[in-house]
Amino acid sequence: MTDQQSKTEKKLFHYTTKAIADYKLIAKGDRVMVCLSGGKDSYTMLSILNLIRLEWRNSFDIFSYTLDQSQPGWDDSHMRNWLTDHKIKYDIETRDTYSVVKRVIPEGQTYCSLCSRLRRGNIYRYAEENGFNKIALGHHRDDLIQTLLMSILYSGQIKSMPPKLLSDNKKHVVIRPMIYCQENDIKEYARAQQFPIIPCTLCGSQENMTRKRVKKLIEDLSAENPKIPSNMLHALQSIHPSQLMDKSLWDFDFFKHDY
């Protein structure tokens, strides 16, 4: 490992452990199901969490779960070899959600929403059936700030992805250990580690998705002011309800005086 690769790994390790500490994401005795999609983000998350597990003397357990959605060209043989080489326990489960998405969503429309719901349902089911008390997803800082801007511009809501989430049925705790990690660092680390990436033929095939447009907007603004991404992340941690217009968070009836 080169000095630069070591520096990037230490940076990702630092920010992941900071997120774990700040939001109490992982505790002693936890059984963490790490969702490995086959992309750079989830490989990086699994790799860093494995390093943290070893550093913490196996005080928690990790298990890699991959959902094979029966996409054309799917080949997980190299993934299996990588997991075996790194002595990580895993399961790769086949469920044909690909055909469902292609059948239900008209050509040219975004597949992400239905695909995510089907994937999430299988993840929750598997975690419950196998007794995992935490489910780890590989979203990073750039995912969070892009989602924030998308929610404001296209949904009329101020929301993003929380570092820790209790599912609607109260049975699952979802964690995002890489909320402080930058995508550029993840890309660099993934290249250096030569992860056996499995491309997605659903999301990756739709070049004009809203998220890509929002990502480009943030990149353009960041070229002028590099602090913009970190400022947006900080905004998610610094909410001032009294400076907004949500009547459920601020009692506007308190101000009844005539001026």
Side-chain angles (χ1 to χ4, degrees):
M1 181 180 294
T2 67
D3 290 342
Q4 181 58 40
Q5 291 169 1
S6 177
K7 181 179 178 181
T8 302
E9 182 174 272
K10 288 178 181 178
K11 186 177 180 181
L12 292 167
F13 187 97
H14 166 74
Y15 279 123
T16 303
T17 52
K18 175 174 170 55
I20 291 172
D22 285 353
Y23 296 100
K24 308 298 186 292
L25 301 184
I26 298 175
K28 184 177 180 180
D30 277 348
R31 300 190 69 230
V32 183
M33 189 177 97
V34 183
C35 296
L36 177 63
S37 67
K40 62 176 174 38
D41 302 334
S42 58
Y43 266 117
T44 297
M45 173 180 63
L46 179 57
S47 181
I48 297 299
L49 284 180
N50 194 40
L51 291 175
I52 294 172
R53 177 183 66 85
L54 296 173
E55 178 79 11
W56 292 4
R57 298 182 180 179
N58 296 305
S59 63
F60 65 94
D61 190 33
I62 63 171
F63 180 89
S64 175
Y65 171 77
T66 300
L67 178 64
D68 170 6
Q69 299 176 273
S70 297
Q71 295 183 21
W74 173 273
D75 178 7
D76 55 37
S77 58
H78 297 296
M79 173 187 283
R80 292 175 185 272
N81 291 337
W82 185 89
L83 289 163
T84 300
D85 290 344
H86 286 78
K87 297 180 174 58
I88 296 173
K89 292 173 287 185
Y90 73 91
D91 190 10
I92 299 175
E93 185 181 43
T94 301
R95 297 269 173 156
D96 187 4
T97 62
Y98 177 88
S99 296
V100 176
V101 173
K102 294 292 285 186
R103 184 177 69 251
V104 173
I105 304 298
E107 193 69 31
Q109 293 190 18
T110 303
Y111 301 131
C112 291
S113 180
L114 178 59
C115 182
S116 295
R117 288 201 304 273
L118 295 173
R119 188 169 61 246
R120 183 166 60 247
N122 280 291
I123 288 170
Y124 286 174
R125 171 192 52 76
Y126 191 93
E128 184 173 1
E129 289 176 353
N130 293 275
F132 295 104
N133 68 316
K134 299 282 178 66
I135 299 171
L137 302 181
H139 299 112
H140 47 70
R141 181 202 70 174
D142 299 84
D143 289 326
L144 267 65
I145 63 175
Q146 290 162 21
T147 299
L148 172 63
L149 195 54
M150 287 171 63
S151 297
I152 293 172
L153 295 177
Y154 296 98
S155 300
Q157 297 176 311
I158 299 177
K159 66 177 185 178
S160 183
M161 300 174 175
K164 195 176 191 179
L165 173 70
L166 183 64
S167 64
D168 291 339
N169 63 9
K170 314 299 182 187
K171 292 183 177 180
H172 310 285
V173 176
V174 177
I175 60 174
R176 295 181 170 96
M178 295 204 300
I179 54 167
Y180 293 146
C181 298
Q182 299 178 29
E183 185 174 23
N184 284 338
D185 291 329
I186 293 171
K187 286 180 178 178
E188 182 178 316
Y189 185 70
R191 283 194 298 267
Q193 294 293 317
Q194 297 183 322
F195 294 133
I197 303 296
I198 302 177
C200 174
T201 59
L202 281 173
C203 298
S205 65
Q206 296 178 292
E207 296 298 330
N208 296 318
M209 287 193 306
T210 300
R211 181 172 292 275
K212 292 189 177 182
R213 297 174 66 187
V214 168
K215 180 178 180 179
K216 179 66 164 53
L217 174 60
I218 295 174
E219 288 175 348
D220 290 344
L221 293 171
S222 301
E224 300 174 9
N225 182 354
K227 291 186 177 180
I228 282 178
S230 58
N231 285 343
M232 292 181 69
L233 184 69
H234 180 70
L236 290 170
Q237 304 166 289
S238 181
I239 307 298
H240 299 273
S242 66
Q243 306 303 305
L244 299 173
M245 299 171 62
D246 191 333
K247 290 185 285 185
S248 68
L249 298 176
W250 186 251
D251 184 11
F252 290 97
D253 288 340
F254 178 78
F255 302 100
K256 294 182 179 180
H257 304 288
D258 293 327
Y259 293 101

